[in-house]
């Protein structure tokens, strides 16, 4: 199946700093990628839909100025958490659509800890 | 997209068939049923999807009732590695409406 990678797999940053998470589709081109957030013992919450070459669409309640998404190529989308706070500590997961729209492939996730 | 209801947890003995139910009584005619699973601290993994007919692949079988208001995911010979949270998701199967909305899922524990 299609492979999606994320980098880094985990990151620790200080409060007030920014951190960038990369999501790559390794063996296919993805015009659409999605970003999710998952807190411990909770389900995945969709944050935004990222389309190559256009602005991301954010879900209600997600601050677009805090979670910057860039989808500059067909294989790469980035999520930047700006001015991170401890409450931003979470598991961030991306996914990508293959050419066929039925299957959405997920990355392994990035665990962010803000101290 | 239609709402789904799943039991919060289930147990199954290793080697037995695991049958995971999902209720989607408000599903509409153009909505597909998808199943994903998430093993601890990993990204979700696609399992199977269907519209009306029963489906089978190398991982599982999906049985959808005739009225499409419920479905069952069957893992025919569960192993310890099948311990995970299983999500049943209903979504419209058309271009431009691909986002998945995850519910709470069923935490399946396979016991030796």
């Amino acid at each position: 199946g299609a492979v999606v990678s994320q980098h880094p797999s985990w990151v620790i940053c200080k409060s007030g700093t920014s951190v960038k998470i990369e999501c790559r589709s390794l063996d296919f081109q993805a015009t659409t990628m999605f970003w999710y957030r998952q807190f411990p013992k909770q389900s995945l919450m969709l944050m935004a839909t990222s389309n190559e070459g256009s602005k991301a669409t954010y879900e209600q309640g997600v601050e677009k100025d805090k979670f910057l998404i860039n989808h500059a190529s067909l294989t790469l989308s980035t999520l930047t958490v700006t001015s991170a706070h401890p409450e931003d500590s979470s598991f961030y997961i991306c996914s990508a659509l293959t050419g066929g729209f039925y299957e959405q492939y997920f990355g392994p996730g990035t665990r962010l800890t803000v101290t | 997209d239609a709402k789904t209801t799943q039991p919060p947890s289930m147990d199954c003995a290793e080697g037995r068939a695991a049958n995971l139910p999902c209720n989607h009584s408000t599903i509409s005619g153009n909505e597909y049923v998808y199943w994903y699973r998430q093993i601890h601290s990993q990204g979700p993994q696609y399992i199977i999807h269907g519209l009306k007919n029963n489906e089978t692949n190398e991982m599982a079988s999906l049985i959808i009732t005739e009225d499409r208001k419920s479905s069952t995911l069957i893992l025919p010979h569960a192993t310890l590695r099948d311990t995970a949270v299983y999500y049943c998701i209903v979504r419209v199967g058309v271009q431009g409406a691909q986002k998945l909305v995850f519910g709470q899922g069923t935490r399946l524990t396979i016991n030796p």
Side-chain angles (χ1 to χ4, degrees), chain A residues 39-86:
Chain A
F39 293 108
K41 298 189 182 302
Q42 294 187 23
S43 186
L44 285 78
M45 185 195 79
L46 179 65
M47 299 175 68
T49 302
S50 167
N51 292 296
E52 187 266 337
S54 64
K55 291 183 178 180
T57 302
Y58 291 82
E59 295 297 305
Q60 192 173 9
V62 178
E63 299 176 61
K64 62 180 181 180
D65 295 329
K66 180 170 181 62
F67 299 99
L68 302 179
I69 293 172
N70 183 279
H71 193 158
S73 78
L74 287 172
T75 59
L76 173 64
S77 176
T78 60
L79 168 69
T80 301
V81 182
T82 63
S83 186
H85 291 285

Side-chain angles (χ1 to χ4, degrees), chain B residues 6-20:
Chain B
Q6 299 177 251
S9 64
M10 291 182 64
D11 285 84
C12 180
E14 187 179 18
R16 303 297 293 270
N19 297 284
L20 291 90

